[in-house]
């Protein structure tokens, strides 16, 4: 048993005490595209496989948060199978989504089966939870060059634009239907000018099959507007990529190179992301290869807070292990999803569409950490209830406050959910005094085989 505790302690230490980056640890979730809507931040990501040796990607996932530290998995809502004209089970690359007049539009990088061309697809739904459908039945944008990494931007006057491209940047104004272009699309003006898109570097031109000098811009544009200025941030400098940005007074340019804003990502030669303002804070999302077993093909989303300079320029944003401070709390007296977490070890997400999701692949020694759980000061929790699914073997979910260990000694759980074959909804008593704000750690224990899936938990007074 001592060995088990040591293993758990090491696993917990693998993510240093307050380490929050990468923010998604239940799967490799690169190319984060945040979107603020209705008091929440949605995060649209693609998905590196755990054993990947290239970008062999099959599906796109969504997460959401209201506190910037605990993220809830909302499922694999779109897969390559959404587009029957695309290559299946591969090349599900970077994406971005937006809500417009009650409909959600998700722009994605994919490969057309008939031509093997990298093209932009668009899926549409009434809500992030889907069902998402192919909006057109074919590519939205297709042409000469590497048509990947779409970013969608809706201007103050309601006009919407799509930008995209690797080693080239194209854009077009979208019609109000969001699934067609008003006047086609074209290369972004000034694209080949280093004054617009950064100092030139030698890069491989895959179309010509030779090295050539190109502007700093590499791929992954992210377009937004602040105080009347348009900003485009993008991975730059060839591979390995850092993050740079340009600004313009007009969406049609000219763009002016603004400088480097992030270094080469830790343990990943690509970087990709974008920024949003949420609850008065500015956040820059990106990905790194810093999860256990991570690398350039096994990347996950990270986030840093930053402040624009007084003149509107973006400062250099350093990477941190800590990530960002919470801007909200979790109410333990309401249902908390099993797939809501700040960090985890060993746990995976389901890969389902729809609205029922859960924490899965649970084995002895795996854990989930939920931050900023506010038990309040008005009365004690008396019971803990949890629902488990797909019970494979008996085991238990032990709930702890703030830590699993004090000086290498295991602390006592405040409640234990004992799971036996056939279990579903289980209630257990709460031990000790519990009030105020805490991290809740859920430690799973049982035999050597996979245990069960966790759907939700909730305390009651
Ligand atoms: O994730 C696959 C590709 O890697 C993306 O489309 C690029 O931006 C790079 O991050």
């Amino acid at each position: 048993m001592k060995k088990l505790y040591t293993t758990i302690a090491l696993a917990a230490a693998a993510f240093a005490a307050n380490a929050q980056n990468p923010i998604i640890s239940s799967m490799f979730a690169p190319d984060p595209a945040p979107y603020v809507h209705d008091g929440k931040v949605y995060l649209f990501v693609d998905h590196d496989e755990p054993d990947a040796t290239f970008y062999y990607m099959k599906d796109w996932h969504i997460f959401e948060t209201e506190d910037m530290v605990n993220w809830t998995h909302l499922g694999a809502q779109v897969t390559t199978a959404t587009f029957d004209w695309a290559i299946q089970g591969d090349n599900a690359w970077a994406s971005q989504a937006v809500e417009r007049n009650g409909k959600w539009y998700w722009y994605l990088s994919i490969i057309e089966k008939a031509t093997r061309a990298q093209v932009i697809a668009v899926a549409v739904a009434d809500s992030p939870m889907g069902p998402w459908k192919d909006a057109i039945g074919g590519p939205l944008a297709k042409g000469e060059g590497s048509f990947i990494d779409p970013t969608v931007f809706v201007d103050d006057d309601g006009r919407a634009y799509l930008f995209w491209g690797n080693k080239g940047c194209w854009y077009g104004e979208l019609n109000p239907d969001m699934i067609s272009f008003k006047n086609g699309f074209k290369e972004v003006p000034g694209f080949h000018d280093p004054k617009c898109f950064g100092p030139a570097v030698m890069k491989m031109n895959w179309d010509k099959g030779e090295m050539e000098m190109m502007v700093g811009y590499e791929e992954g544009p992210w377009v937004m507007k602040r105080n009347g200025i348009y900003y485009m941030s993008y991975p730059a400098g060839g591979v390995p990529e850092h993050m740079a940005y340009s600004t313009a007074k007009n969406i049609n340019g000219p763009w002016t190179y603004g400088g480097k804003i992030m270094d080469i990502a830790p343990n990943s030669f690509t970087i990709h992301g974008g920024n949003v303002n949420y609850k008065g804070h500015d956040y820059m999302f990106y990905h790194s290869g810093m999860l256990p077993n991570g690398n350039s093909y096994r990347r996950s989303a990270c986030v840093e807070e930053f402040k624009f300079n007084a003149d509107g320029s973006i400062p250099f944003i350093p990477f941190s292990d800590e990530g960002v401070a919470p801007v909200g709390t979790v109410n333990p007296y309401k249902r908390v999803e099993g797939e809501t977490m700040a960090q985890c070890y060993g746990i995976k997400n389901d890969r389902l569409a729809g609205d029922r999701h859960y924490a899965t692949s649970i084995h002895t020694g795996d854990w989930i950490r939920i931050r900023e759980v506010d038990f309040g000061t008005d009365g004690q929790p008396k019971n803990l209830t949890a629902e488990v699914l797909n019970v494979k073997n008996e085991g238990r979910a032990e709930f702890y406050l703030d830590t699993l260990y004090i000086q290498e000694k295991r602390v006592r759980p405040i409640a234990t959910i004992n799971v036996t074959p056939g279990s579903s909804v289980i209630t257990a008593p709460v031990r000790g005094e519990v009030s105020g704000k805490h991290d809740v750690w859920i430690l799973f224990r049982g035999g050597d085989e996979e245990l069960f899936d966790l759907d939700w938990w909730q305390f009651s007074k």
Side-chain angles (χ1 to χ4, degrees):
M1 199 49 76
K2 188 155 184 289
K3 187 166 163 259
L4 168 67
Y5 293 152
T6 312
T7 309
I8 296 164
L10 287 174
F15 297 97
N18 281 319
Q20 183 75 57
N21 276 327
I23 53 176
I24 307 297
S25 47
S26 48
M27 59 178 262
F28 292 113
D31 301 321
Y35 186 65
V36 177
H37 181 78
D38 211 9
K40 294 178 180 176
V41 183
Y42 291 92
L43 197 62
F44 294 80
V45 295
D46 30 329
H47 182 195
D48 286 333
E49 296 295 330
D51 52 356
T53 50
F54 189 63
Y55 308 115
Y56 302 121
M57 302 160 81
K58 302 173 171 49
D59 48 20
W60 294 266
H61 293 239
I62 313 176
F63 291 81
E64 67 172 23
T65 187
E66 288 179 64
D67 57 31
M68 286 302 293
V69 292
N70 298 295
W71 291 87
T72 301
H73 180 240
L74 301 185
Q77 296 290 350
V78 175
T79 75
T80 52
T82 308
F83 309 98
D84 59 13
W85 48 268
I87 286 187
Q88 296 301 302
D90 199 0
N91 294 96
W93 288 10
S95 72
Q96 191 186 346
V98 70
E99 186 270 351
R100 191 94 196 269
N101 301 326
K103 290 237 180 267
W104 290 72
Y105 301 90
W106 197 347
Y107 303 89
L108 313 113
S109 317
I110 206 164
I111 290 192
E112 188 182 39
K113 202 169 10 189
T115 60
R116 303 196 75 83
Q118 289 175 309
V119 299
I120 308 297
V122 55
V124 63
D126 291 336
S127 100
M129 306 303 276
W132 290 85
K133 294 199 173 79
D134 180 1
I136 304 175
L140 168 63
K142 177 179 164 184
E144 293 292 311
S146 187
F147 278 27
I148 63 169
D149 296 359
T151 177
V152 58
F153 166 70
V154 182
D155 209 341
D156 310 326
D157 59 7
R159 294 167 75 173
Y161 302 85
L162 196 73
F163 288 70
W164 66 90
N166 168 293
K167 292 188 183 65
C169 189
W170 298 269
Y171 81 117
E173 182 176 347
L174 293 165
N175 282 316
D177 66 7
M178 297 297 276
I179 59 168
S180 59
F181 290 106
K182 198 166 165 188
N183 295 308
F185 54 83
K186 60 180 182 183
E187 191 176 70
V188 168
F191 180 72
H192 301 280
D193 185 346
K195 287 198 292 304
C196 303
F197 287 102
V201 279
M202 282 296 270
K203 295 183 194 172
M204 175 56 102
N205 182 329
W206 292 106
D207 292 335
K208 294 186 187 160
E210 60 190 42
M211 299 293 283
E212 80 178 37
M213 285 299 275
M214 295 189 210
V215 283
Y217 172 105
E218 180 72 16
E219 58 183 353
W222 180 269
V223 174
M224 50 82 63
K225 189 181 189 182
R226 181 178 178 271
N227 296 339
I229 303 286
Y230 297 90
Y231 293 77
M232 188 197 298
S233 55
Y234 44 85
V239 174
E241 302 167 339
H242 59 262
M243 190 88 90
Y245 83 111
S246 303
T247 55
K249 292 193 180 119
N250 188 301
I251 191 74
N252 298 304
W255 293 88
T256 303
Y257 179 66
K260 177 174 175 176
I261 52 175
M262 275 188 157
D263 251 324
I264 295 165
N267 204 28
S268 166
F269 54 68
T270 63
I271 190 167
H272 185 128
N275 64 300
V276 288
N277 184 282
Y278 179 62
K279 295 189 178 175
H281 301 259
D282 285 300
Y283 297 104
M284 181 65 77
F285 289 77
Y286 62 100
H287 65 224
S288 80
M290 291 304 280
L291 280 186
N293 199 33
N295 61 32
S296 289
Y297 303 115
R298 303 173 200 164
R299 309 152 295 168
S300 202
C302 301
V303 65
E304 308 293 349
E305 185 173 351
F306 73 100
K307 285 192 184 357
F308 281 88
N309 294 320
D311 63 0
S313 56
I314 304 182
F316 180 77
I317 306 167
F319 300 125
S320 75
D321 289 336
E322 296 77 22
V324 302
V327 292
T329 55
V330 173
N331 182 349
Y333 301 114
K334 285 190 171 163
R335 171 182 165 131
V336 181
E337 299 300 327
E339 65 277 13
T340 296
M341 58 188 77
Q343 279 177 298
C344 69
Y345 182 81
I347 309 293
K348 289 191 170 47
N349 297 125
D350 65 77
R351 295 178 78 157
L352 303 172
D355 55 11
R356 190 157 196 201
H357 302 287
Y358 46 83
T360 188
S361 191
I362 294 174
H363 294 80
T364 294
D366 292 348
W367 50 261
I368 290 172
R369 176 189 178 205
I370 305 99
R371 289 180 65 189
E372 296 291 297
V373 181
D374 193 355
F375 289 89
T377 48
D378 178 22
Q380 276 280 120
K382 206 167 152 211
N383 288 311
L384 167 67
T385 301
E387 180 165 4
V388 296
L389 301 168
N390 308 321
V391 178
K392 287 148 201 112
N393 287 290
E394 67 176 40
R396 55 194 187 273
E398 299 174 341
F399 282 63
Y400 295 81
L401 293 188
D402 301 318
T403 180
L404 300 174
Y405 283 87
I406 294 177
Q407 290 175 347
E408 298 198 356
K409 280 206 184 122
R410 191 166 67 89
V411 293
R412 268 169 67 86
I414 57 163
T416 298
I417 298 290
N418 286 302
V419 180
T420 52
S423 288
S424 172
V425 178
I426 306 154
T427 296
V430 174
R431 299 180 209 100
E433 295 202 353
V434 179
S435 66
K437 259 188 242 170
H438 296 274
D439 283 6
V440 166
W441 291 73
I442 310 172
L443 173 63
F444 298 95
R445 301 180 64 197
D448 291 339
E449 304 297 324
E450 186 173 348
L451 302 175
F452 46 82
D453 298 332
L454 178 64
D455 194 6
W456 58 267
W457 55 270
Q458 177 172 351
F459 285 86
S460 54
K461 290 185 185 169

